[in-house]
Amino acid sequence: MTRKILVAALISAIIAVLFVAGCTGEGPSTGGETTVDVIYAATGPMPMLLSTDQIDGYMAWQPFVAVATVSGIGKVVSYSQDMPPAGMWTDHTCCAFAARTDIMQERPDLVNAFSALTIAANDYIKQNPDKAAELSADWLYGKDDMTFGNVTVNSVDVLKASIPTLKFTSDPSEAWIQSNDNFVVSLRELGYITGSLKDADTATVHSELYDFSPYEQAKAMLANGSITTPASAGTIALGYLPSDHHAALFVAVKDWQYFNDTYGIALKPASEGSGAVDTADLIVNGAKVATVKLVKGEGGSQLMTLAAQDTIQFAFVGTPPAITAIDKGTPIKILHPLQTEGSGLVVSADAPANDWQSFIAWAEQRAAEGKPLKIASPPKGSIQDVQLRAALGDSNVVVNEAQ
């Protein structure tokens, strides 16, 4: 318990200093300080920005870390789990499976079945990483090449490099819950939590955020080799993001026959072919249970808006957007993780930095020359943004939010 309190307090202190400084673009007036310019950007264009020297590096989720290494335009300074402060980000939270509370109350067997399929799909990925990479590349890119300006890279090669760097797990472990607690602290400091979680104690936060009963029911069904067939549910919708972090969905649909034959549950695509699938039948024990609309989102916040509107009933989504949505009254619960870790800090291939220490030395040199490093990051409050700021703060580097 003491370690947990210290970790949360450390994050709170780091974020409090960095976000106040960063929001104004001004750091503490210490003189001769080292600053880094953080530029908020969508992840998709980041490799092109790096290849055209518009930025010096970027902090992003996979597969955009692997894009840089496979294409040769960049190299990894540090994967997210290895970033400072030491030990803080091991098995850190990333994406999770969430559901609306009304469907959980009205159709628990349906929720349990989806959870069971997700757990089975994660096991599939761990046992068949290359196959999972091929199926994910098919869904995301039609197995076509990925092009970023004048840089072209094979999507299957990228996904084969990316998938092994993620930890596909459905276990709501103590470390995962603690990581979410840390992000609650960070989001409070950002001013993104203003509702039911703003002043809540840890026990109340956990009660508001989680319901692990579908996970426990799903585990028991898988162990017994029998999935309970839910009542017919008509048409429902599941939101996801176009990232290999959500590979559990891609493999479940693309190799639906395997899951049907092995577990008695499947998401059978309405039409089979290359590329993403937008409609599938949920089949349990040979019976069609529901038509499932697979809704591609542009970001976690958008998916949470769709959940609030009851446009989608289930979501594969990052935990920070889910946390902020629950804080504001969106009727959802986080059921279990999809995966942990899976992000990294990338710099240009010719940069004089190969690890965190040499990156900081480079940042100090550039700041002294009056040319601070330009590092792109996903939106403020994202996992990657919080980690980057905490790591820089731990190294006494001031963040400037560049325009």
Side-chain angles (χ1 to χ4, degrees), residues 48-359:
M48 184 176 69
L49 295 174
L50 185 63
S51 68
T52 53
D53 297 324
Q54 297 180 65
I55 57 175
D56 298 297
Y58 60 81
M59 181 80 186
W61 55 74
Q62 291 285 25
F64 297 101
V65 178
V67 164
T69 58
V70 173
S71 67
I73 65 174
K75 55 187 173 182
V76 178
V77 164
S78 178
Y79 286 102
S80 50
Q81 64 268 22
D82 300 321
M83 294 182 72
M88 182 175 290
W89 307 115
T90 302
D91 292 326
H92 70 78
T93 189
C94 192
C95 291
F97 180 37
R100 281 182 56 93
T101 53
D102 51 1
I103 201 166
M104 293 176 65
Q105 294 163 0
E106 296 164 9
R107 300 184 180 276
D109 287 343
L110 179 69
V111 179
N112 296 344
F114 266 110
S115 185
L117 182 57
T118 303
I119 295 169
N122 269 344
D123 288 342
Y124 178 103
I125 296 167
K126 288 182 285 189
Q127 294 164 11
N128 307 280
D130 284 352
K131 181 68 172 177
E134 292 173 5
L135 295 176
S136 297
D138 183 356
W139 184 294
L140 294 170
Y141 308 105
K143 291 189 178 179
D144 290 340
D145 289 341
M146 304 164 67
T147 301
F148 304 92
N150 61 356
V151 176
T152 299
V153 62
N154 181 269
S155 62
V156 176
D157 291 342
V158 169
L159 271 294
K160 284 185 176 180
S162 173
I163 291 286
T165 71
L166 293 109
K167 290 186 177 179
F168 290 94
T169 178
S170 305
D171 177 23
S173 66
E174 183 177 350
W176 178 77
I177 293 171
Q178 177 59 49
S179 180
N180 289 330
D181 290 346
N182 293 342
F183 276 96
V184 168
V185 172
S186 301
L187 291 167
R188 283 172 176 161
E189 296 293 347
L190 267 172
Y192 285 4
I193 287 181
T194 58
S196 64
L197 303 180
K198 183 173 185 286
D199 300 311
D201 60 23
T202 300
T204 302
V205 168
H206 291 178
S207 177
E208 290 285 312
L209 291 182
Y210 309 122
D211 187 338
F212 298 142
S213 57
Y215 169 74
E216 296 297 339
Q217 292 291 328
K219 272 204 317 178
M221 289 191 298
L222 290 168
N224 293 331
S226 178
I227 308 297
T228 301
T229 304
S232 179
T235 299
I236 57 175
L238 183 151
Y240 72 95
L241 299 176
S243 164
D244 58 355
H245 289 206
H246 297 180
L249 173 63
F250 311 151
V251 302
V253 176
K254 289 290 183 179
D255 202 359
W256 69 271
Q257 190 70 59
Y258 166 83
F259 291 94
N260 185 72
D261 296 346
T262 306
Y263 301 101
I265 183 170
L267 275 173
K268 181 181 178 181
S271 60
E272 298 193 54
S274 188
V277 174
D278 58 15
T279 305
D281 292 337
L282 177 64
I283 299 172
V284 183
N285 299 320
K288 177 181 174 180
V289 172
T291 298
V292 184
K293 300 293 185 183
L294 302 172
V295 180
K296 182 177 74 172
E298 299 302 322
S301 296
Q302 180 202 24
L303 289 181
M304 293 297 90
T305 298
L306 294 177
Q309 297 167 344
D310 200 17
T311 302
I312 61 174
Q313 292 73 49
F314 300 94
F316 287 178
V317 66
T319 48
I323 290 168
T324 55
I326 291 168
D327 172 68
K328 291 172 174 57
T330 300
I332 63 167
K333 292 288 187 182
I334 297 171
L335 307 186
H336 56 76
L338 281 177
Q339 45 72 231
T340 62
E341 303 182 355
S343 298
L345 176 61
V346 169
V347 295
S348 56
D350 60 356
N354 297 295
D355 54 25
W356 185 257
Q357 289 72 27
S358 54
F359 173 78

Side-chain angles (χ1 to χ4, degrees), residues 366-382:
R366 287 283 297 271
E369 296 169 353
K371 299 181 292 184
L373 293 177
K374 295 180 180 179
I375 306 297
S377 167
K380 186 187 292 186
S382 64

Side-chain angles (χ1 to χ4, degrees), residues 11-23 26-28 189 389 393 397-399:
I11 286 188
S12 179
I14 291 171
I15 299 298
V17 173
L18 288 177
F19 279 103
V20 169
C23 286
E26 298 176 353
E189 296 293 347
R389 288 172 175 271
V397 175
V398 176
V399 170

